[in-house]
Every structure is written in C-alpha cells, then in structure tokens.
Amino acid sequence: MVELEVFEQCLRILAEGTRLSLETLSVLCVLVGLLATLRRTSMMRRQLRHSSDLPFTKIRLGFGAWLSLALEFQLGADIVATTTTPNTVNLIQLGVVALIRTFLNFFLAREMEMEHRMETQARSAQDNTPT
C-alpha cells in the first residue's frame, strides 16, 4: 500500500509540473502572438504609407492562429488537471476551454479559407489583365 501512495504522489507531482508547463506555453503563445501581430502591423503600415487601409483580416487571422495554439496548450493543461483532481470546477473549466477552442478553430479555418479564395481570385484577375 505504501508503494501505491508513493506512486500516486509522484504522479501528482508529474501532473502538476506538466500542467504548469502547458499553462506557461499557453501564456507564451499569447505573448508571442501579440508581438508578432504588432510587428506585422508595423511592417504593413510602413509598406502602405499612402493608404490608410491595413489588411485587418490578415492581421486578425494571424493573431487568431496564435490564440488557437494557446488554447490547445490550455486545453492540455486542463485535461491534466482534471485527470489528477476530477472535480466539478475542473470539468466545467475543461468543457469551456474545449468549447471556445472548437468555435475559434472552426471560424478561424472558415475565414482563412475565404481569405485564401479571395487572394486566389485577386491573383487570377491580375494575371488575366492585359498589359
């Protein structure tokens, strides 16, 4: 029985370290995404000096991809937390993160597909214009 308690304690320590690592990665993804978005916005602003229109959709989709990755890590952290201490709060938190991640990924994928189609159409129209 003592061996089982030692094993459970080691498992809890391992799970806690894993959860903390995943949550740290989640926060880092949001931070890196923010910095990448600010950098991209700054570069686009310099490139489009004469235009006040920034390609808002591209900027937003880029940041959305980082948020989606952060939610993946957060979901992993919540799964680990729920596995080691399955209480109502952890289960609700896991469900909410999974729901948010699912919706974000669904709409992000749809918008990226639409953006890709629009770029392809614009490129085709450019290639077909007489010079």
Side-chain angles (χ1 to χ4, degrees):
M1 211 53 158
V2 173
E3 295 87 18
L4 186 59
E5 289 174 13
V6 170
F7 178 73
E8 284 178 357
Q9 186 64 24
C10 288
L11 184 61
R12 274 193 211 100
I13 292 169
L14 178 64
E16 188 63 28
T18 302
R19 184 193 59 76
L20 183 61
S21 298
L22 288 167
E23 287 177 349
T24 301
L25 286 170
S26 179
V27 171
L28 287 174
C29 282
V30 173
L31 179 62
V32 169
L34 174 65
L35 295 174
T37 300
L38 292 173
R39 183 174 176 258
R40 174 182 273 174
T41 303
S42 175
M43 287 174 52
M44 286 181 177
R45 199 174 280 280
R46 273 184 262 147
Q47 290 173 352
L48 303 170
R49 283 185 190 151
H50 304 294
S51 173
S52 61
D53 294 334
L54 281 175
F56 179 72
T57 303
K58 281 188 174 189
I59 293 168
R60 195 173 60 77
L61 289 176
F63 187 59
W66 281 103
L67 290 179
S68 180
L69 183 60
L71 281 170
E72 292 286 344
F73 286 122
Q74 189 62 50
L75 182 63
D78 290 341
I79 288 170
V80 170
T82 303
T83 301
T84 55
T85 53
N87 60 37
T88 307
V89 173
N90 287 343
L91 288 172
I92 290 171
Q93 188 175 0
L94 175 62
V96 168
V97 170
L99 188 66
I100 290 170
R101 186 194 65 77
T102 301
F103 276 108
L104 179 63
N105 281 347
F106 174 76
F107 289 110
L108 187 63
R110 258 182 52 181
E111 287 191 48
M112 288 173 86
E113 184 181 320
M114 281 185 2
E115 181 73 18
H116 179 68
R117 257 190 267 139
M118 288 172 52
E119 283 179 1
T120 303
Q121 288 173 350
R123 225 177 288 122
S124 294
Q126 256 182 352
D127 291 345
N128 292 335
T129 50
T131 54

